Every structure is written in structure tokens, then in C-alpha cells.
Amino acid sequence: MSACVEAELLDLAGEVCPYTFVRAKLRLEELPLGARLEVLVDHAAAAENVPRALRDEGQEIVSVAREAARWRIVVVKRADPSLRQG
Amino acid sequence: MALDLGVLVADPAMLGRALDLLRNVDEAQLFLMDEGVRAAGDPRLAAAIDDGLDATLCAMDAEARGIVASAIGAGGPRFGSQWDHAVMVRDAARVVAMTGGRIDDSDGATPGPGRRVAVRLTRDARDPKIGQALRAAVGYAGVELSVIVVVEPPARELLRHDEHAPAVVRAIATLRALGHRFVEVATSNHRVSCDVEVSW
């Protein structure tokens, strides 16, 4: 069995605010606690605001790394909030 | 520290009035979006920031209007996102919205997730501010606020068909998918039960 934890990937390149942080949160909702998600964004504001939004709801931001014209945000799910009403 | 006052400005002509409200409030925030970002370089705003005001603008709206941080200078508002706006509406004890139409002043409701925010649409469904209102509403939904989109008669075409700008169609679909409510009202005097109201 591999010691590596596979990460889900969410590519948000080309996506606009507020869908960047909303889609990242919704994707995390589908994952179990402890799951690792890598989020790709291509806008500097999103590289700041998506981690802030995820941290605000209790998620763990492992890293934010610039890769040429985009940023890779690595997050581990630590909380289980829901954006859905009712 | 708790946020006492949050002010949304989407009309640059409202900046002076907003700064009057924000003056002498210990914990206050200003968020500029839509046409309000044109006030970003106003020297009165720079002076208020210099005095300690926490001011942020929507980077996407600024970019769309050719407003860049380097042109505003170091003393200007921070370039943020609809997340900053939504968190301000979620956490401020008092929320004042100046979008270019009526001014909403919501005070007294307990801040935090679950707060009910009515986004009131007062304009023609094709008005660009309707798209901005719905974009902001999606942001509110993204910080666990409970959104009620109140559709006044001028905007009622919004709910009659799907032939709207793609961004509008997407926002409506997103809000519906997340379980938020759309309420059509017959007159502008018809109030809905909510904690914060933001009219566009």
C-alpha cells in the first residue's frame, strides 16, 4: 500500500469570483474529513482569497505555491460545514 | 474584536456619506464594488484609511474598469474579493448598503452564519446592477448566509424565462441549487422577514 495520500484536483483556472471560493468549498463538502484537495487558480486575488475563505470555515491550508501563471493551493479537510440550506 | 459597522458602496457618489457614517466607529469596514470602485483613488478615502479605516474593493470590478493598485498608490483600499464583502455582511453588527438606489440600514440582528440576507432587486432585469446583486448573493451563500432574493416588479422578467446574461443565469441556478429562496413581491413596500437587506 502506498504511503502517499492521493489528492483530489480542482482546476479553477478561468473561474471568476465568487465561484472560486464557492466551488472550492462545495468540492470539499463532497470529500471525507482528512481528505486532501489541490485547487488551481490563475488569478492573484483568488490565490489570496480562496485560502482565506477555506481557513475561515476551519480547513487546513497546507501550502500555496505559484507555478508560472497559476497557483496551487493544497488544503486538508478539517471541518464539515455545508453551504446548502435546510 | 467584533465588527461594529460594515458599509457597502456600489456608487462612487455615496463615498462621502459612507465616510461620514464610518468616522469615529471603532471597528468598521468599507467595501467598494461595481461602480463604487471608482472611488478607490479619492483622497478622502486615502485620508480615512490613513486614520485607520479598513477598506477593501472588489478586485474583479476594479480590473473590469481599468483600475489597478499601482495607480491608486500605497494609501488606497486593499484589493479583495466578494468573500471580503460577504464576511463583512455576515459579521458586522450594523450593515449599511449604498448601491446607488435606496440606502439600507440594518441594525440589531445577531451577526454570524445563518443570518438572513434579503437581496432586493429593484431594477429592470437587464440592468447590469442586477448581475452584480446576484453575484454578491452567491458570495453571501458562500459564507453560510441564508439568502432571500426579493424580486420587485421592474425585475420580474428575471423569473419569467432564462434568456438573461450567462452570469445572471448562472447565479440564479447556483442560488437555487443551494436552496436559497426567490420571492416575487407586488410592490416596493412589501417587506420580507430578514436580518440584513441590500437593495440594488
Side-chain angles (χ1 to χ4, degrees), chain B residues 1-166:
Chain B
M1 216 170 167
L3 183 59
D4 298 317
L5 172 63
V7 179
L8 168 66
V9 169
D11 175 356
M14 290 286 110
L15 180 68
R17 196 159 173 179
L19 293 177
D20 285 344
L21 278 175
L22 291 157
R23 194 168 293 124
N24 301 323
V25 179
D26 285 341
E27 291 295 323
Q29 285 181 4
L30 171 68
F31 188 83
L32 305 173
M33 69 172 287
D34 191 54
E35 288 298 300
V37 300
R38 297 193 189 282
D42 192 304
R44 293 173 298 171
L45 177 56
I49 292 170
D50 197 41
D51 284 344
L53 175 65
D54 181 354
T56 305
L57 59 69
C58 173
M60 187 172 141
D61 287 346
E63 194 172 286
R65 289 161 180 78
I67 297 166
V68 293
S70 58
I72 295 171
R78 186 173 61 80
F79 278 57
S81 76
Q82 288 299 317
W83 181 76
D84 297 284
H85 171 194
V87 167
M88 180 184 84
V89 169
R90 184 189 70 189
D91 293 346
R94 178 186 177 195
V95 178
V96 177
M98 302 173 170
T99 67
R102 75 185 65 149
I103 295 173
D104 301 296
D105 191 339
S106 307
D107 199 356
T110 306
R115 197 178 215 188
R116 297 165 304 159
V117 182
V119 177
R120 185 172 277 267
L121 308 181
T122 70
R123 302 162 187 267
D124 186 283
R126 293 162 296 187
D127 190 306
K129 280 195 182 278
I130 295 295
Q132 291 284 51
L134 291 168
R135 188 165 74 94
V138 171
Y140 299 158
V143 297
E144 298 176 64
L145 292 169
S146 179
V147 178
I148 310 154
V149 180
V150 181
V151 182
E152 291 193 358
R156 65 164 56 119
E157 282 300 305
L158 207 61
L159 304 181
R160 296 284 187 273
H161 55 78
D162 291 331
E163 293 173 10
H164 308 294

Side-chain angles (χ1 to χ4, degrees), chain A residues 15 25 43 52 56 85, chain B residues 63 84 90 142 146 170 178:
Chain A
E15 187 57 281
K25 287 184 171 192
H43 198 262
R52 290 169 64 210
D56 177 69
Q85 295 294 293
Chain B
E63 194 172 286
D84 297 284
R90 184 189 70 189
S146 179
R170 185 184 191 192
L178 294 176

